[in-house]
Amino acid sequence: MAYSIGNISGCHINPAVSLGVFMSGGMDSKGFCAYIVSQILGAFAGSGILALIFN
């Protein structure tokens, strides 16, 4: 994943990575909240698509 989306999003594919970057000072609180909300919405969208495919 780091090679395929790393240059776009910094490879923040789960909230743990975003939290680590935030705690180390690599992003501000507004950006951190945006990443967390986007990651959660992406998880819901992905699980919804899988539910449609496999049900």
Side-chain angles (χ1 to χ4, degrees):
M1 286 306 285
Y3 287 115
S4 57
I5 66 169
N7 62 339
I8 297 168
S9 68
C11 203
H12 293 226
I13 56 175
N14 70 41
V17 174
S18 300
L19 180 62
V21 173
F22 174 68
M23 291 182 70
S24 70
M27 72 171 43
D28 61 354
S29 60
K30 184 178 177 182
F32 173 69
C33 290
Y35 268 87
I36 295 297
V37 169
S38 299
Q39 291 162 350
I40 291 170
L41 291 176
F44 279 119
S47 62
I49 291 169
L50 287 174
L52 289 173
I53 290 171
F54 292 108
N55 273 339

